[in-house]
Amino acid sequence: MTATPVMELRGVTRRFGSVIALRDIDVALRAGEVHCLLGDNGAGKSTLIKILSGVMPPSEGEILVDGRPVAFRNPREAQAAGVATVFQDLGMIPLMSISRNFFLGREPLCGRFPFRRLDKDLADATARRAMADIGIDVRDPSQAVGTLSGGERQSVAIARAIHFGAKVLILDEPTSALGVHQAAMVLKFVIEARLRGLAVVFISHNIHHAYPVGDVFTLLNRGRQQGTYRKAEISRDEVVAIMSGGEDLRALQEEIDALLASIGGGAGRPAGAA
């Protein structure tokens, strides 16, 4: 905990006119840790991702990379600083091959100008090797990404980030649209990235996916930080209560109890029963 964070947010606030999407957020991301940013819909997770990845600047506060203040003007500057973001749509083109998507925007070329072209053999071999390094056996790197499952597409995006030297890997709801088996596959890749020394940011509203792999949890509710805890300091149930707002849950339970009491407890009896 004494090491300098790979990336840090200090007092970050983001305003959209009179609307405050985030207020006074402090987050420290360290190498070899999975830092989970958790919150329900509307908690400010998407805005925080955009600030971390250089899509938008904070209205107040500062961003530090390796202890030095930075001001990202666009996502390319964030990438150059070692920040890789895997958004929910994965930023892939379904009709293009695995290797083409792997090198999208960074294609290896061969030949002399004006006859330079994609070095397909190098792209295929590199993509296959990079994915094998995280435990994925690609049958054919030239197959279309659209033929892969959701979990396999996530693996391509994660392998791409690791290959291109990311220091911070931001995963935006990586398991939200996946089944149990595919979600387990993605969580395995998250652990693999952590073991390789990356600072992994796992954004989710699903505590059952985040808690098993998380080392640190920052909880957001309506744009405000509700606390940052290490795993030993907070239970799964406590995380759920803080994320959703304990008072809201208690008020809802009281309303349900009152409704059941008003109908005399007969909601569970079959129709026509005496």
Side-chain angles (χ1 to χ4, degrees), residues 23-24 29 79 136 186:
R23 183 191 292 274
D24 296 328
L29 310 176
Q79 290 177 1
I136 295 295
V186 171

Side-chain angles (χ1 to χ4, degrees), residues 106-127:
R106 307 176 183 180
E107 291 82 357
L109 302 175
C110 62
R112 293 187 176 183
F113 182 83
F115 304 107
R116 293 180 68 79
R117 64 192 184 278
L118 173 70
D119 191 336
K120 185 177 182 301
D121 291 339
L122 176 59
D124 287 350
T126 303

Side-chain angles (χ1 to χ4, degrees), residues 222-250:
R222 299 176 184 175
R224 293 179 178 269
Q225 187 169 345
Q226 302 298 306
T228 295
Y229 308 88
R230 299 197 68 81
K231 195 169 194 171
E233 300 172 341
I234 193 166
S235 69
R236 190 187 306 241
D237 291 341
E238 288 172 328
V239 171
V240 173
I242 295 173
M243 279 174 56
S244 57
E247 291 299 327
D248 293 342
L249 286 177
R250 282 189 287 272

